[in-house]
Amino acid sequence: MVEAIIRATLLGLQLGMTLALIAAGLTLIFGMLDVINFAHGALFMLGAYLGTVIAGQLGSFWLALLLAPLIVGVIGAAIEILSLRPLYGRNPLYHILLTFGIAIMIQGAILQIWGGQSRRISVPEILSGSVPIGPVNYPLYWLFVFAFSTVLIGLVWIGIERSNLGILMRASAHDTEMVNALGIDVSKVFTGVFVFGAVLAGVAGVLLSGTQSVHPGMGFNVIIEAFIIVVIGGLGSFRGAVYSALLIGLVSAYGALIAPTLTELFLFLLMAVVLMIKPSGLFGTTEAA
Amino acid sequence: MVTVTESGHDQGRRRTDGGDPLLSVDSIDTHYGESHILFDLSLTVDRGDVVALVGRNGAGKTTTIRSIMGLTPVTNGQIVKGGEQIQARDPHEIRKEGISWVPEERRVFSGLTVEENLRLAAHSGDDEQADQFEEIYRRFPRLDERRGQDAGTMSGGEQQMLAIARALLGPETDLLLLDEPSEGLAPQIVDDVEDIIRELNEDGVTILLVEQNAEMALGLADYAYVLETGEIVHESPADELATDREAMESYLGVK
C-alpha cells in the first residue's frame, strides 16, 4: 500500500510537471493573444512524433529533444503569422474554429505521413533502468522527465518574474493597447509568445514519448487535460497553471490507484468544485501571468 | 475680441500667424465600428504650446487623441507630425515619431511595480537609459520613494505621475497627449498635476491637453479648441475663451 502511494505520488508529480509545460503555453497564449488555442495539443503531439522520428533516424534522444521542439516552434510561428494574425480583434469564435481546424489538419498530416500505429521513443542508455526510492523501484527516465520539466518551468517562472521580457509579457497580458502605444511592436510579442508556447509543448511531447505511447489521438486527449488545468488555475495565469497542473497530475495518479476508470470524472469534478468556489479559477484575479 | 468661429471647412488652418506647427490634424473622420464619431475635424498644435481640447462629455475629445495616436485609425483625412504623415501607422510607430500618450484613467500596469512600469516604457536597461531614469526620478520624487510598490496600489495622483513619467521614457517625446489628467483627483493633487504640466512645457514639451475641467485646461493652455458632437465649434487663444462668458456657458456649461 505504501509502495503504491509513493509510486502514485512520484508519477503524479512527474505528470503534473510535464502537463505544466503544455498548460503554461496555453495559458500564456490566452492571457496575451486572447486566443483559445485548440491546436496546442496537436503541437504537443507533433513534438512527440518528430521526437520519435528524429531519435530513430539520428539515433540520438538528445538531438531529438533539441530539434523536435525547435521545428514545432517554427511551425508555431507559421501558424501565428499566417493564420491567427489576420483575425485579431475579431470575434473569438474565429480563433476557436481556426485553431480547431489546424489541430485536425496536423492530426491528418500525421496519419498520412506516419500512419496510425503507436510508437515510442527509444530512451537513451544512460536513463534506462530504475532507481530505488524507499521501497519503490522507480524508472530513471521518469525521474529525468520530472527533473527536466521542473527545471524548465522554474527557468520560465524566473524569466517571467525578473527579466525585461517577462515584464513585457505581464504588461501585454494586462493591457496590450497601452504596451503598443509605448512604442513596442506588440505583434512581435504575440508571435514570440505563441512560438514559446509551441516550443514548450514540443518539449513535453518529446519527454512524454518515452513514458507513454505516441499515437494520433494523443493531441486531443492532452488538450482536454490542459484546458482543465488552465481553467482551474485561472485563465491567463502562469503560476495558476503550474500549481493546477501539479494538482491534476496528482489527482490523476491517485485516481488511477483508487478507480482507474473514473480518473477523468475526478478531474471534471475537481474543476466543477473549484469553479463553484472560485469562478475565476485559483489564481484568476486581475493578476496577469 | 470674441472669436466664435462657426463650424466650417477652413477651421484649424486659421492659426498660421507665424506659428510653427508640430502637429496638423487635417479634416479627419473617425468611426467606431458603424458609428461616426469625428466629422471633418481639423486642429493645429504649434511647437512649444499647450493646446487645450475642451468640450462636454462624449464630444469626441478622447477619440481625437486616440485618432492621433493611431489607436482608433481615421477613416478619412490626414495627420501630419513634423512633416510626416502618420495617420495610417501603428501606435508603436507613432510613438517613435515623438508622440506620447497619457490615457484617460492613467492605465498604469497594476501588478507591475513602479520600477517595472518605467523599465517597460524605457524598452530596456541600456546605459543611456540610466540617465533618463535618474532624471525621471528627480522630477518625480514620489515615484522614487515607491520604486518597488505595485503600481495598482498607489493613489490616483501617484498613478497619474507614473503615467506621465512612463510617457517621457523611451523614444524622445516632443508631443504629449494628455487625456483627462485631472479626472478623479483631489483639488490639491490637481494643482500638483498642473505644476507638472507647466514644468514639462517649460522644458520644451508640446502638449495637447484634453480636459473636462475647462477652467484648469484654459489656465494652462495657450490656445483652445472646443469640441461638440465630433466637430470643432470654436477655437481661440485660451485666455480669450476663458473670459468669453457667453462661449463658456454655451459650449461648456460654465457660468
Side-chain angles (χ1 to χ4, degrees):
Chain A
M1 186 61 200
V2 177
E3 228 174 282
I5 289 173
I6 293 177
R7 187 178 285 277
T9 306
L10 287 169
L11 193 68
L13 290 173
Q14 176 254 308
L15 187 65
M17 270 321 204
T18 321
L19 284 174
L21 289 175
I22 303 165
L26 199 62
T27 205
L28 288 176
I29 289 168
F30 178 82
M32 257 169 262
L33 282 62
D34 261 341
V35 168
I36 297 179
N37 181 24
F38 271 104
H40 211 68
L43 292 171
F44 155 80
M45 175 165 65
L46 203 56
Y49 270 91
L50 289 169
T52 44
V53 169
I54 292 171
Q57 296 283 322
L58 303 179
S60 166
F61 169 84
W62 304 108
L63 266 180
L65 185 57
L66 178 70
L67 292 179
L70 289 181
I71 298 171
V72 174
V74 171
I75 291 168
I79 291 173
E80 198 279 334
I81 294 169
L82 299 177
S83 70
L84 281 173
R85 194 175 284 182
L87 296 180
Y88 291 132
R90 305 255 192 112
N91 189 327
L93 193 61
Y94 287 112
H95 294 133
I96 296 177
L97 284 175
L98 175 75
T99 56
F100 199 73
I102 291 171
I104 293 169
M105 281 166 65
I106 292 175
Q107 191 182 28
I110 282 173
L111 269 167
Q112 278 292 318
I113 300 170
W114 293 300
Q117 76 275 33
S118 293
R119 306 161 162 257
R120 218 184 176 101
I121 202 165
S122 38
V123 169
E125 197 67 38
I126 193 169
L127 296 177
S128 57
S130 44
V131 280
I133 294 176
V136 181
N137 252 341
Y138 199 72
L140 185 58
Y141 180 77
W142 293 20
L143 274 186
F144 162 76
V145 169
F146 173 62
F148 193 88
S149 306
T150 307
V151 169
L152 203 52
I153 285 290
L155 289 176
V156 173
W157 194 314
I158 292 170
I160 287 176
E161 291 287 325
R162 299 281 162 79
S163 73
N164 281 330
L165 212 59
I167 294 173
L168 176 57
M169 285 170 67
R170 282 184 286 149
S172 305
H174 182 249
D175 189 341
T176 316
E177 185 177 79
M178 192 65 232
V179 171
N180 197 1
L182 289 177
I184 295 161
D185 188 350
V186 178
S187 66
K188 286 197 185 117
V189 181
F190 279 14
T191 309
V193 167
F194 196 88
V195 168
F196 184 61
V199 168
L200 288 182
V203 170
V206 179
L207 291 175
L208 286 188
S209 62
T211 66
Q212 61 185 52
S213 74
V214 175
H215 60 92
M218 68 192 292
F220 280 103
N221 291 347
V222 88
I223 194 76
I224 292 171
E225 275 179 345
F227 270 122
I228 293 176
I229 290 168
V230 168
V231 169
I232 289 178
L235 281 163
S237 164
F238 174 77
R239 270 201 303 169
V242 175
Y243 290 135
S244 157
L246 281 174
L247 185 66
I248 291 296
L250 288 170
V251 169
S252 300
Y254 292 136
L257 202 64
I258 301 162
T261 50
L262 298 178
T263 315
E264 289 217 342
L265 185 69
F266 288 142
L267 299 186
F268 284 108
L269 272 177
L270 183 65
M271 180 164 77
V273 170
V274 169
L275 290 185
M276 272 192 286
I277 298 167
K278 215 162 173 286
S280 55
L282 295 177
F283 290 84
T285 50
T286 50
E287 181 219 33
Chain B
M1 157 99 191
V2 180
T3 326
V4 180
T5 317
E6 291 299 317
S7 173
H9 287 294
D10 55 348
Q11 298 161 9
R13 280 166 237 166
R14 203 186 54 82
R15 202 167 168 254
T16 44
D17 48 341
D20 171 15
L22 179 64
L23 178 83
S24 308
V25 174
D26 191 9
S27 310
I28 60 164
D29 285 73
T30 303
H31 293 74
Y32 269 123
E34 295 284 298
S35 36
H36 199 162
I37 308 292
L38 300 182
F39 298 86
D40 194 29
L41 182 144
S42 298
L43 59 84
T44 306
V45 179
D46 280 352
R47 198 179 295 275
D49 274 5
V50 175
V51 172
L53 187 58
V54 292
R56 290 197 169 89
N57 220 346
K61 304 186 298 291
T62 293
T63 307
T64 306
I65 293 256
R66 290 181 58 88
S67 297
I68 295 169
M69 200 64 212
L71 296 157
T72 309
V74 299
T75 43
N76 208 358
Q78 56 182 10
I79 301 171
V80 177
K81 158 84 187 353
E84 284 196 64
Q85 287 202 19
I86 57 166
Q87 74 273 9
R89 299 200 194 163
D90 209 55
H92 73 268
E93 294 169 323
I94 290 173
R95 174 68 191 87
K96 294 194 176 94
E97 291 294 325
I99 304 182
S100 219
W101 176 54
V102 178
E104 207 175 355
E105 293 168 352
R106 3 256 184 234
R107 284 166 72 171
V108 299
F109 300 105
S110 56
L112 267 62
T113 64
V114 168
E115 175 112 16
E116 286 173 336
N117 268 271
L118 295 177
R119 261 166 76 188
L120 180 76
H123 293 202
S124 69
D126 287 358
D127 284 345
E128 60 180 289
Q129 299 278 9
D131 290 348
Q132 241 193 338
F133 257 90
E134 288 318 305
E135 213 220 294
I136 286 292
Y137 281 132
R138 253 203 313 280
R139 196 188 278 278
F140 302 102
R142 290 292 283 277
L143 298 181
D144 197 4
E145 292 161 21
R146 286 160 197 270
R147 290 187 191 210
Q149 187 175 334
D150 183 335
T153 65
M154 298 198 301
S155 71
E158 289 162 345
Q159 289 192 18
Q160 189 62 58
M161 285 176 202
L162 179 58
I164 294 174
R166 184 176 64 176
L168 298 173
L169 284 165
E172 207 188 321
T173 299
D174 54 7
L175 175 62
L176 196 59
L177 310 175
L178 285 169
D179 197 348
E180 305 276 5
S182 78
E183 192 184 22
L185 301 183
Q188 174 64 42
I189 311 295
V190 173
D191 291 347
D192 292 348
V193 172
E194 265 189 79
D195 289 343
I196 291 168
I197 296 171
R198 203 168 278 124
E199 278 166 33
L200 282 175
N201 184 240
E202 278 162 13
D203 292 347
V205 181
T206 305
I207 290 165
L208 177 59
L209 174 64
V210 156
E211 261 300 338
Q212 282 273 90
N213 183 344
E215 207 176 323
M216 171 214 180
L218 297 178
L220 282 166
D222 300 292
Y223 201 75
Y225 291 86
V226 181
L227 202 57
E228 214 170 78
T229 55
E231 290 180 276
I232 302 279
V233 291
H234 176 97
E235 58 165 292
S236 70
D239 47 1
E240 278 180 28
L241 175 60
T243 51
D244 182 348
R245 290 175 154 247
E246 205 181 322
M248 288 295 279
E249 191 176 341
S250 67
Y251 294 131
L252 304 165
V254 179
K255 286 182 188 168

